[in-house]
Structure formats: structure tokens, C-alpha cells
Amino acid sequence: YLAAGQAELDQDPQTGAPVMTEDAKPDYVQAIDAWQQYLDLKPKKPDAGLALRMRDSYALLAQGEADPTAVQADLEGAQEAAAIAADANPSQNSYGTEAQFAYFAGDVSAGDSAAAKALASVDPSERKSLQKALDSFKKQGELIQKQLKQNAPTKEELEQPLGGAGGVQPTP
């Protein structure tokens, strides 16, 4: 699924970064469904390489998604995949990425824990610049979560998703 989805991606002309398209989205959704089925089998050591690919897949989906609930689910999936990758290959980079996605998903406690591991695994001369990057991820995460909450459906919208239109109305 991922290979098919990757073939359907666009590319940002300024950054060269991949951009989700409507054609690629179904392949990525199927890949994530397969990943979840794999994780449901509770493997003792989930495949770290696949976890990295799924982390990136979740991130791509989140960037191309308009529904705040779906964005949150994608960010949480990316966080889980990043944690699997970091557990399998502990390093400053893997823990830093785990912290990044934890913050983006709104899990500050997990983000702080992964950030502490990243800071502990780096040369003391590099800690200040790493701390700066981690602080930036934390602030970005706060902004993302604030925006998701502002765009989240209201209780009324969740209870009446059609807004009273299109459904059968009770007769008095």
C-alpha cells in the first residue's frame, strides 16, 4: 500500500517535501489499517523500520487532513510509531522525534520523558541546541493542540451531525 501511495504523492515545489493527494490517501489509510492489525497481534519486537515508515505515513495524513479528530488520531499514531522506533534504536534522534510527535499529539508527559532521554544521550556540548529544538517542538505541539480544539466539532454538532437536516423528524 505504501509503495502505491508514494507513487501518488505530490511534491511541494518550494521545499521538495511530499504532499498528500486524494489519490494517495486511500493507499496510506490501507497501510495504516494493516499496521494496526499487525500491532494488534502484539509482536514482541515490532518492526522498527516499518514503524519509521508508518510514523511518516501518519504525519503525511495529518498534514493533508481537515477533520480535527482525524488529525489527532494521525498524530497519536505517529507518536506510537515513533516510540516503537525509539525503543528499538535508542538515540538522540529517535528520542527527539518521539518527543516531537508526543508534543504534537498533546501528550506532554510522554514528550518530556522522550526529551529527557534525548538530552541524556547527547554530548553535553550539544545539549543547549537540542533543548532549543525540543522546546520548539513543545511550543508547536501546544499550538497544534490549541488549533485542533478550536476547530473541533461542538457537542451539538456531534449529537446532530446533520444539523437536523436530512434525517427523519419526529412528528408531534
Side-chain angles (χ1 to χ4, degrees), residues 53-87:
R53 294 181 70 194
M54 296 314 302
R55 177 203 67 203
D56 294 344
S57 298
Y58 278 113
L60 271 170
L61 279 172
Q63 290 172 0
E65 186 61 64
D67 175 26
T69 305
V71 171
Q72 182 63 37
D74 291 338
L75 292 173
E76 290 170 2
Q79 174 190 1
E80 179 184 31
I84 290 168
D87 287 345

Side-chain angles (χ1 to χ4, degrees), residues 101-114:
F101 282 104
Y103 291 139
F104 289 2
D107 190 343
V108 175
S109 175
D112 288 346
S113 176

Side-chain angles (χ1 to χ4, degrees), residues 1-9 23-32 50 53-54 57 60:
Y1 301 114
L2 283 179
Q6 288 173 333
E8 302 281 344
L9 293 173
D23 291 336
K25 188 174 180 177
D27 292 319
Y28 277 87
V29 169
Q30 286 183 312
I32 285 172
L50 184 56
R53 294 181 70 194
M54 296 314 302
S57 298
L60 271 170

Side-chain angles (χ1 to χ4, degrees), residues 29-49:
V29 169
Q30 286 183 312
I32 285 172
D33 288 346
W35 169 249
Q36 285 302 318
Q37 289 172 10
Y38 168 69
L39 291 180
D40 288 346
L41 297 174
K42 308 249 185 267
K44 288 183 183 180
K45 288 188 175 186
D47 185 305

